[in-house]
Amino acid sequence: MISLLDIRTRIADGTLSAADSVRAARERIAARDARIGAVLRTAPEAAVPDTGPLAGIAVGIKDIIDTADMATECGSAIHAGWRPRADAAIVSRLRALGAVPLAKTATTAFAGLDPAATVNPHDPDHTPGGSSSGSAASVAAGMLPLALGTQTGGSVIRPAAFCGVAAIKPSFRLLPTVGVKTFSWALDTVGLFGASVADIAHALALIADRPGIETAAPERPRLALCLQDFAGSPDADALVALERTARAAERAGASVRDLVLPEPFARAWAAHPTVQDFEARQALAWEYAEHRDALPPVLRGQLDRAQDLSAADYDGARREAHRARRLLKELFSDVDAILTVSSVGRAPHGLGSTGDARFNRLWTLMGVPCVNVPVPGDGLPLGVQVIARFGDDGRALAVARAIEGALASA
Amino acid sequence: MISLLDIRTRIADGTLSAADSVRAARERIAARDARIGAVLRTAPEAAVPDTGPLAGIAVGIKDIIDTADMATECGSAIHAGWRPRADAAIVSRLRALGAVPLAKTATTAFAGLDPAATVNPHDPDHTPGGSSSGSAASVAAGMLPLALGTQTGGSVIRPAAFCGVAAIKPSFRLLPTVGVKTFSWALDTVGLFGASVADIAHALALIADRPGIETAAPERPRLALCLQDFAGSPDADALVALERTARAAERAGASVRDLVLPEPFARAWAAHPTVQDFEARQALAWEYAEHRDALPPVLRGQLDRAQDLSAADYDGARREAHRARRLLKELFSDVDAILTVSSVGRAPHGLGSTGDARFNRLWTLMGVPCVNVPVPGDGLPLGVQVIARFGDDGRALAVARAIEGALASA
């Protein structure tokens, strides 16, 4: 993979130019993407900024995020060829930092569950996960050092785990979603994919203009190991990887205790789809009313069922979320981070499904920062998920970095 | 003015067809708007639905709200001629109810403070208020029975007060903002303008699919009369109108006590512009980066200054808002509604300013429902503002309806 920090170091010491770095990204896409299908289109050739803290960084932009210089098709024929007038806020922010939003990356239709055409760079017979399929795969395949995705259920952490890349779903609304096609406004969160935790911490600190995100460093992290029983069991090798991570963290100085999430979290977990689908019904009302037949089957069925949700269902689901959020705040009073699996297991075989978000969706509903840390090993990638309290993205990243280091030296 | 409920009654009893009702709206626009400048463009002629609970209702859509069949220009040459791919969620919802989104109504540029070209229907030498200038004026001039606006500071309640129409800024996110050009995602709220409180209650109950909004009815409303001293003094005649309203409400059976908002509300009020401008800097980042010179002067200056706001400023402002929200919830434990002025006074002379939102912005930041009730009298209109607790839009409307009735019979 291509490290953002490595590129920046080489640019700083004069051994690489920003323009050459971006050109190299174009060449890697041209050489590698035919077999992966992560990149839908690239920006027209243009002058590459040579100043700014992210100069020379080519970024993949999930294709539900507006770009003024490239079509934004939301993974659907309904929006084929669509050119937004303006860049999304997050794209403008990248440009202001000197980065080049170089490529639009494949998304499942409207960031739903119907698969995109992308394959897993580690094995083309396996899904890369979704909905941010192309963003995760483009980083995993070493084409881009940074990519933007979004998560409503598990659409950042799951593909990151399946593709073996570092990723963060930040605290809710840490990054602006203006200009991002909405699925659920209470859940949709812009996230980052990169080659390492340090890379995404550096990028997030700059994009959010919060230097503390990169410098936070709890000395001996207090970790709570958590299984989310209400979501069912992960695969055996995911549990082994989680356990191995916990032991490596302990050896590196962390304390680890078990955490069983009390009942209100199970109820919040169960409430997530109601919040999501009640809002999706409104957010995608035009597509459903005018182009229902052109919607892919899983999303169409989901929206069909969502027509029956009532405002009372939605209010009830939001109340469950509020209760669990209050409780989670208390849980974090003596815990730096929760450690749990990033996904059910390795990327499933076949391209007919993007996998399951059941170990992610509670945390999206809670709005808390989640980081995927790849767990080194044989076969397709596995990841662990590091979760911190709302607003403390720096702590989540610091703990994740410590874990990444502990795993590397284990 | 044209009453939505009256149209619906006539359609129900067979004395008016939906198509004739919409045709009449087109004719009123053609006859009256030349001197007012509220309507920017109308939808292409198309079949008018004759079923649905809002069939026959022609609606004005503020021109920062996306429409697939009409340009959406955000009051700015930067977006001139822009045709969104999809309708905004709220527009799709109107269509699903049988309504006809007939006209795009004038907005100040990006819903900021630089005036639109609309004049006050009561006196063309006076501002109609902003930023939902055309929506308020089109209802006030009897062209349309219903119009959509948005409020970030006071952009629904202020123009409603200046134009003498009923309006509600509902609870935050009661109505979806998907497809609405963002100024501040924590504040922007879609609101409704109509000829009477009963009209907007009926429309809101249908659009939000919450019948209780229309049927709530506290028997003897407990009102708290509140001056917002931290925002300065209203004009003398606004105070007289407020006092007159309180006495009329008492005669109609309400209890009225004085309320002095404690210090945290003053701090929240002062924090509003920080939340707003920190988010506007991101939401309008593309326009600022690519087209700064084409921005109107007040907005340009506002965004210039917003570049200096820090994440810490924003976090601090949000904390003030949270504190005040918690306190407000307690205040509402024995109060049905707060009664305060809707604006500093009558619409100011001249078209160089849209007036001042200082009596509105606290309530937008609190996310609570606010209703403007016109106070009958001589000269340009005045309004009082009825405010209920978060999520209880039905109570705000029920109290407002009672007050409207009390004023009419006073």
Side-chain angles (χ1 to χ4, degrees), chain B residues 166-381:
Chain B
I168 181 165
K169 177 206 82 65
S171 294
F172 183 63
R173 287 286 164 85
L174 179 72
L175 299 181
T177 57
V178 176
V180 179
K181 181 72 177 171
T182 306
F183 197 94
S184 160
W185 54 83
L187 297 168
D188 295 353
T189 306
V190 172
L192 307 180
F193 298 88
S196 71
V197 176
D199 282 358
I200 57 173
H202 188 66
L204 185 64
L206 287 168
I207 296 170
D209 199 13
R210 294 171 183 266
I213 285 176
E214 202 179 358
T215 54
E219 288 244 333
R220 292 173 50 87
R222 299 158 300 170
L223 304 182
L225 192 63
C226 160
L227 288 185
Q228 307 187 59
D229 290 336
F230 43 79
S233 290
D235 292 347
D237 48 4
L239 280 175
V240 170
L242 180 65
E243 186 60 31
R244 186 151 68 85
T245 303
R247 297 298 81 82
E250 276 179 332
R251 283 195 301 276
S255 68
V256 181
R257 66 175 177 85
D258 286 329
L259 170 68
V260 177
L261 292 170
E263 177 59 20
F265 291 100
R267 291 204 302 271
W269 177 82
H272 172 283
T274 301
V275 172
Q276 171 187 273
D277 293 353
F278 186 81
E279 294 184 354
R281 175 179 94 188
Q282 298 173 73
L284 299 174
W286 179 81
E287 286 82 2
Y288 188 78
E290 305 291 331
H291 299 281
R292 181 178 172 280
D293 290 349
L295 289 169
V298 177
L299 180 58
R300 188 169 59 226
Q302 190 174 358
L303 292 174
D304 284 343
R305 290 186 299 278
Q307 307 304 314
D308 296 329
L309 291 170
S310 70
D313 295 333
Y314 177 66
D315 294 347
R318 298 223 304 168
R319 274 193 294 272
E320 294 294 359
H322 287 142
R323 270 186 214 115
R325 269 186 217 123
R326 279 197 300 272
L327 206 53
L328 187 58
K329 202 170 168 184
E330 289 169 32
L331 283 182
F332 274 122
S333 64
D334 61 351
V335 164
D336 289 307
I338 290 172
L339 191 63
T340 188
V341 294
S342 286
S343 59
V344 180
R346 303 179 198 271
H349 188 270
L351 300 173
S353 154
T354 62
D356 192 310
R358 58 194 163 94
F359 293 108
N360 309 113
R361 66 191 209 203
L362 172 66
W363 313 109
T364 317
L365 185 63
M366 297 297 97
V368 292
C370 303
V371 179
N372 178 65
V373 180
V375 178
D378 296 332
L380 285 167

Side-chain angles (χ1 to χ4, degrees), chain A residues 240-328:
Chain A
V240 170
L242 179 65
E243 187 59 32
R244 186 150 68 84
T245 303
R247 298 296 83 80
E250 277 180 332
R251 283 195 301 277
S255 68
V256 180
R257 66 175 178 84
D258 286 328
L259 171 67
V260 176
L261 291 172
E263 176 59 20
F265 291 100
R267 291 204 302 271
W269 177 82
H272 172 283
T274 302
V275 172
Q276 171 188 272
D277 293 352
F278 186 81
E279 294 184 353
R281 175 178 93 188
Q282 298 172 73
L284 299 174
W286 180 81
E287 286 82 1
Y288 188 79
E290 304 291 331
H291 299 280
R292 181 178 172 280
D293 291 348
L295 289 169
V298 178
L299 180 58
R300 188 169 59 225
Q302 189 175 359
L303 292 175
D304 283 344
R305 291 186 298 279
Q307 307 304 314
D308 296 329
L309 291 171
S310 70
D313 296 333
Y314 177 66
D315 294 347
R318 298 223 304 168
R319 273 192 296 271
E320 295 294 0
H322 287 142
R323 270 186 214 114
R325 270 186 215 123
R326 278 196 300 270
L327 206 52
L328 187 58

Side-chain angles (χ1 to χ4, degrees), chain A residues 86-290:
Chain A
D87 284 331
I90 187 79
V91 172
S92 285
R93 179 65 186 153
L94 286 169
R95 292 194 205 280
L97 294 165
V100 175
L102 184 72
K104 296 309 283 284
T105 54
T107 177
T108 66
F110 303 107
L113 294 170
D114 302 271
T118 316
V119 303
N120 193 308
H122 294 271
D123 183 335
D125 292 332
H126 290 253
T127 176
S131 62
S132 308
S133 315
S135 295
S138 62
V139 170
M143 295 189 278
L144 294 167
L146 182 67
L148 301 184
T150 63
Q151 176 158 317
T152 305
S155 287
V156 167
I157 298 301
R158 175 163 98 269
F162 289 176
C163 292
V165 303
I168 181 164
K169 177 206 81 67
S171 295
F172 183 64
R173 287 286 162 83
L174 179 71
L175 299 181
T177 57
V178 176
V180 179
K181 181 70 176 173
T182 305
F183 197 93
S184 160
W185 54 82
L187 296 168
D188 295 354
T189 306
V190 173
L192 306 180
F193 298 87
S196 72
V197 176
D199 282 357
I200 57 173
H202 188 66
L204 185 63
L206 287 167
I207 296 169
D209 199 12
R210 294 172 183 264
I213 284 176
E214 202 179 356
T215 54
E219 289 245 332
R220 292 174 50 88
R222 298 159 301 170
L223 303 182
L225 192 63
C226 161
L227 289 185
Q228 307 188 61
D229 290 336
F230 43 79
S233 290
D235 293 347
D237 49 3
L239 281 175
V240 170
L242 179 65
E243 187 59 32
R244 186 150 68 84
T245 303
R247 298 296 83 80
E250 277 180 332
R251 283 195 301 277
S255 68
V256 180
R257 66 175 178 84
D258 286 328
L259 171 67
V260 176
L261 291 172
E263 176 59 20
F265 291 100
R267 291 204 302 271
W269 177 82
H272 172 283
T274 302
V275 172
Q276 171 188 272
D277 293 352
F278 186 81
E279 294 184 353
R281 175 178 93 188
Q282 298 172 73
L284 299 174
W286 180 81
E287 286 82 1
Y288 188 79
E290 304 291 331

